[in-house]
Amino acid sequence: MEVSTNPWIWILMILLLFVAYWYLGGPRNLPPGSAGIPILGYLPFLDQFSYKTFKILGQKYGNVFHLYLGSRLVIVLNDYFSIHEAFIKNSDTFSGRPSDNVFKESTTNNLGLTANDGEYWKQHRRFILNYFKNNGYGKLNLEPIILVEKPFCNVINLHGITFLLQDEIDHFIKELKNHVGKSFNIKPLLMHTAGNNICILATGKRFDYNSPEFRLLISTIFSPKLVPFASLNSFFPWLVQLPWSDKILKREKTKKYFDRVNNAVAGVIRSVKHEYVSGQEGNYIHAFMTENHKRKQVNEADDFFSDLSLLHMSRSLILAGIETTSSTLLYCLLYMTLYPEVQKNVQNEIDRVIGHERQPSYDDRMQMIYTEATILEIFRKSCVVPLSIPHRCRKTITIGGHVIPQDVMVIPNIWAIHHDPRLWGDPHTFRPERFIDRGRRIILSEYILPFSLGKRACVGEPLARMEIFLCFVSLLQHFTFVPPIGEELHLESYPGLTIRPKCENICAVLREYPF
Ligand code: HEM
């Protein structure tokens, strides 16, 4: 037999082999799904709001399906029951994070909470959740309890976290009063307040909006648009091997960005580190330092709570908490502007339960059924982290009768749950009343998952829920929000990992008292 010397035949054969490998070379017994086209996988067919495409694909492939995004195999969980089976019933198995270039390159050895999934992550997660629990985050009537229980009184323990959040809201309202009656881009102010609430957690105090540390922090965090390059890095991990990968992946720019963020976070840490007195636990940074000392006494080699860890942990909280909370608050105001009758109902409830002479407290929500229902409906509709953060399946397991291979990336489509007509009937209608039982009680739905669920669910949830309630209620106590003259408001968002409203201009009108 003669071997062909025609190079085109060889090129064609290699191409055919590559295509055959692309379609047949992956793991067997995957859930239904699509490999898309060679090299790019299903990426070219995804809408820029990929959660919407996933929802449609769920109708074709079922609620557990696979896709290749670039060369990366991804399993999408597209309904409540599959996500619950994975993240609650098999929470350990699904608590991994993809061991990803993106995480590795943005942190030092995967330090911080979001990227890590080993013993280090477990211990830090437990530590911060305990810190929240012991310091009144998310609880009612805490101030007196804290006062009695805590030997090392500092600002938080004396007055309770509610007091500090209220103080921040006071400053926010004062600032907003400078802009009443005109079109005002409220997003930066919302980011300032969300940023300060995390600083309160970290340092036990708020920062003046004009203080150098705070200005640096806020201005640094959201400057560059690096998400497209992070996605390239994640879905085409082999790009890293190419000689010009640094340029394609903008690695230099990414590195500089994270250096700047580290520098800004270090400034916040420095501002309280020097005030530390041995044994103090009154803010997260001091509690962290005390934990480090305790551990060192037992085992000098234990460096889980090192200075570098403190930097990365604080950074995790700041990066995960500011954009999410400020976007949710912005959606609160946009929905009120677009649904004035809902705004009126919330204000009537505020007037009845709180009045205008005192500040709202977190306890008030027990009597504010309509307001609570409105916030739940905003959580449902806005769903600012629609695909959560990707998980990794730590061992091969069966979900919904489908085999999920070890180490595969798992994406839960939370947006699909929030918009599932089988759960909500009319998912696209904004209707707070769906959460009220015969006008008297809140219907707590397990299908509302803005913070995800299971072992990896958002650690900042207790703080986020408190600040959203207190800020939303305080704002509607003082102002009515209306569309700025000549501007059309809508609820559309930018594409990205988080849903960020495009409309940032709003008009606040001061409410008249007495009402
Ligand atoms: C409305 C506001 C917020 C929303 C909707 C939100 C949502 C989420 C979601 C969906 C996740 C991913 C969970 C998963 O992997 O399954 C997450 C993770 C996380 N969030 Fe939030 N979040 C909010 C506010 C905050 C705040 C205020 C903080 C900090 C104080 C914070 C800190 C974190 C951290 C550190 C993680 C990573 C947890 C881990 O990997 O173990 N978040 N958040």
Side-chain angles (χ1 to χ4, degrees):
M1 198 175 73
E2 231 175 82
V3 178
S4 169
T5 50
N6 184 341
W8 288 109
I9 302 267
W10 284 102
I11 291 171
L12 189 68
M13 291 213 354
I14 290 167
L15 273 177
L16 282 174
L17 275 175
F18 175 72
V19 171
Y21 178 77
W22 182 263
Y23 288 111
L24 304 171
R28 306 261 145 213
N29 299 326
L30 285 176
S34 170
I37 56 172
I39 300 179
L40 298 178
Y42 206 83
L43 281 177
F45 311 109
L46 285 187
D47 188 275
Q48 54 176 343
F49 303 100
S50 46
Y51 46 91
K52 292 188 181 171
T53 315
F54 292 161
K55 185 165 183 279
I56 295 166
L57 288 177
Q59 287 157 12
K60 185 171 171 190
Y61 296 123
N63 285 316
V64 180
F65 59 87
H66 86 269
L67 291 177
Y68 276 87
L69 301 182
S71 57
R72 182 156 212 158
L73 173 61
V74 166
I75 302 290
V76 179
L77 304 176
N78 209 41
D79 75 336
Y80 174 77
F81 301 99
S82 59
I83 294 178
H84 187 270
E85 188 180 345
F87 288 9
I88 296 289
K89 289 195 186 143
N90 297 286
S91 52
D92 255 338
T93 306
F94 283 87
S95 66
R97 284 279 187 238
S99 76
D100 208 301
N101 294 335
V102 178
F103 284 135
K104 275 188 211 137
E105 291 181 9
S106 61
T107 61
T108 314
N109 302 327
N110 273 4
L111 292 184
L113 206 65
T114 318
N116 200 288
D117 59 12
E119 191 51 34
Y120 169 89
W121 163 73
K122 261 192 201 154
Q123 296 201 21
H124 274 286
R125 198 173 156 100
R126 199 176 309 133
F127 178 78
I128 185 150
L129 289 175
N130 273 336
Y131 179 80
F132 275 137
K133 203 164 122 214
N134 296 335
N135 287 280
Y137 283 82
K139 287 196 190 157
L140 305 175
N141 279 327
L142 256 133
E143 291 84 338
I145 301 172
I146 292 167
L147 194 62
V148 174
E149 280 185 355
K150 283 274 174 180
F152 287 107
C153 289
N154 74 351
V155 196
I156 283 192
N157 297 330
L158 269 175
H159 301 293
I161 181 62
T162 310
F163 173 87
L164 287 169
L165 298 183
Q166 282 169 337
D167 184 39
E168 167 54 32
I169 291 167
D170 260 1
H171 283 83
F172 178 95
I173 286 174
K174 216 177 269 169
E175 183 62 36
L176 187 54
K177 280 186 178 164
N178 294 328
H179 304 276
V180 286
K182 50 191 179 221
S183 176
F184 171 59
N185 182 344
I186 197 163
K187 186 65 199 282
L189 191 52
L190 290 170
M191 280 179 38
H192 278 65
T193 207
N196 239 341
N197 287 333
I198 299 176
C199 286
I200 287 171
L201 156 70
T203 67
K205 63 180 184 192
R206 72 175 292 280
F207 286 76
D208 189 281
Y209 293 154
N210 288 318
S211 70
E213 300 102 323
F214 196 66
R215 282 168 70 118
L216 180 69
L217 185 74
I218 300 296
S219 64
T220 310
I221 286 176
F222 297 102
S223 30
K225 308 260 173 293
L226 295 170
V227 172
F229 306 105
S231 305
L232 269 184
N233 207 342
S234 184
F235 298 133
F236 303 96
W238 47 267
L239 277 177
V240 178
Q241 313 297 336
L242 300 181
W244 8 271
S245 68
D246 281 3
K247 271 218 166 79
I248 303 173
L249 299 172
K250 296 239 186 279
R251 283 161 112 181
E252 192 55 29
K253 197 169 171 194
T254 310
K255 189 182 167 309
K256 274 193 187 143
Y257 167 68
F258 282 109
D259 284 349
R260 280 203 309 276
V261 173
N262 289 351
N263 186 25
V265 175
V268 172
I269 295 174
R270 257 194 318 275
S271 75
V272 286
K273 209 171 170 199
H274 66 276
E275 295 165 1
Y276 176 71
V277 178
S278 177
Q280 216 171 17
E281 298 184 345
N283 57 52
Y284 174 73
I285 291 172
H286 287 171
F288 196 104
M289 292 165 76
T290 297
E291 181 69 16
N292 187 36
H293 288 165
K294 278 189 203 158
R295 282 169 176 255
K296 289 278 181 212
Q297 275 166 6
V298 178
N299 175 7
E300 185 54 37
D302 183 341
D303 66 349
F304 272 14
F305 282 72
S306 65
D307 281 358
L308 194 59
S309 257
L310 176 58
L311 176 76
H312 281 279
M313 282 296 159
S314 309
R315 195 183 93 171
S316 294
L317 299 174
I318 286 168
L319 286 181
I322 298 185
E323 182 64 55
T324 45
T325 311
S326 57
S327 287
T328 306
L329 281 169
L330 181 51
Y331 267 124
C332 286
L333 303 183
L334 288 173
Y335 273 104
M336 291 307 94
T337 311
L338 292 168
Y339 293 86
E341 67 292 351
V342 176
Q343 175 164 219
K344 192 76 223 135
N345 289 342
V346 174
Q347 286 175 325
N348 286 342
E349 193 170 63
I350 294 172
D351 298 349
R352 184 171 54 75
V353 176
I354 304 169
H356 67 272
E357 285 179 349
R358 70 167 175 88
Q359 285 180 312
S361 93
Y362 202 43
D363 298 13
D364 290 324
R365 76 196 175 108
M366 302 308 282
Q367 297 173 63
M368 299 181 70
I369 289 160
Y370 191 84
T371 307
E372 274 285 283
T374 304
I375 293 174
L376 284 175
E377 183 69 340
I378 292 166
F379 274 145
R380 184 185 74 79
K381 287 285 288 152
S382 60
C383 193
V384 299
V385 196
L387 297 174
S388 187
I389 300 174
H391 288 226
R392 176 177 64 86
C393 179
R394 303 160 79 115
K395 63 171 197 233
T396 301
I397 195 170
T398 304
I399 294 293
H402 301 287
V403 176
I404 313 291
Q406 181 173 358
D407 285 335
V408 76
M409 183 191 269
V410 178
I411 298 182
N413 191 353
I414 294 180
W415 188 88
I417 301 177
H418 285 194
H419 293 83
D420 187 340
R422 291 168 303 179
L423 303 176
W424 307 104
D426 55 350
H428 297 289
T429 309
F430 179 71
R431 195 165 58 80
E433 290 76 11
R434 73 173 79 244
F435 292 107
I436 303 175
D437 175 21
R438 276 176 270 143
R440 278 178 290 143
R441 275 190 326 160
I442 275 282
I443 302 172
L444 285 175
S445 169
E446 58 192 313
Y447 307 129
I448 290 288
L449 299 167
F451 301 98
S452 186
L453 73 175
K455 291 209 164 151
R456 207 83 220 199
C458 173
V459 281
E461 178 175 347
L463 169 62
R465 282 192 187 274
M466 266 183 116
E467 58 180 314
I468 285 166
F469 177 84
L470 291 172
C471 194
F472 178 58
V473 171
S474 303
L475 284 173
L476 290 199
Q477 190 186 33
H478 286 83
F479 306 99
T480 299
F481 292 89
V482 295
I485 294 169
E487 293 178 47
E488 205 172 310
L489 290 197
H490 55 75
L491 299 163
E492 283 168 22
S493 60
Y494 294 105
L497 292 178
T498 56
I499 292 185
R500 197 158 64 83
K502 280 186 175 166
C503 276
E504 297 181 342
N505 286 359
I506 210 145
C507 177
V509 177
L510 211 50
R511 292 186 70 196
E512 304 260 326
Y513 296 118
F515 35 77

